[in-house]
Amino acid sequence: MSNAIWSGSRSWLLYLDDLIASAERIGRLTAGRTIEQFVADEAAYGAVFFATFSLSQTLISD
């Protein structure tokens, strides 16, 4: 893992908050759905894609 999270200008707690928020959003959007139902729902699929992208950016950005 990159040291950017720990050495950046933001507190590591803010990064943790971002990670938790994205993970919770993904959980809400996928809960109670089969993979077929999830993939058929373009809005949910797009939102989870965006939340996953946000997670990755949080991990690699400063």
Side-chain angles (χ1 to χ4, degrees):
M1 180 181 344
S2 169
N3 286 333
I5 292 175
W6 314 117
S7 63
S9 59
R10 292 180 73 197
S11 163
W12 67 272
L13 289 172
L14 294 176
Y15 286 104
L16 186 59
D17 284 343
D18 290 346
L19 291 169
I20 291 169
S22 291
E24 288 174 341
R25 189 173 307 115
I26 291 167
R28 285 192 308 273
L29 291 165
T30 58
R33 298 174 187 243
T34 65
I35 188 70
E36 292 81 10
Q37 292 170 329
F38 170 69
V39 172
D41 184 343
E42 291 182 24
Y45 188 84
V48 168
F49 181 84
F50 180 77
T52 304
F53 178 78
S54 296
L55 271 171
S56 68
Q57 294 304 298
T58 300
L59 289 172
I60 62 172
S61 69
D62 177 57

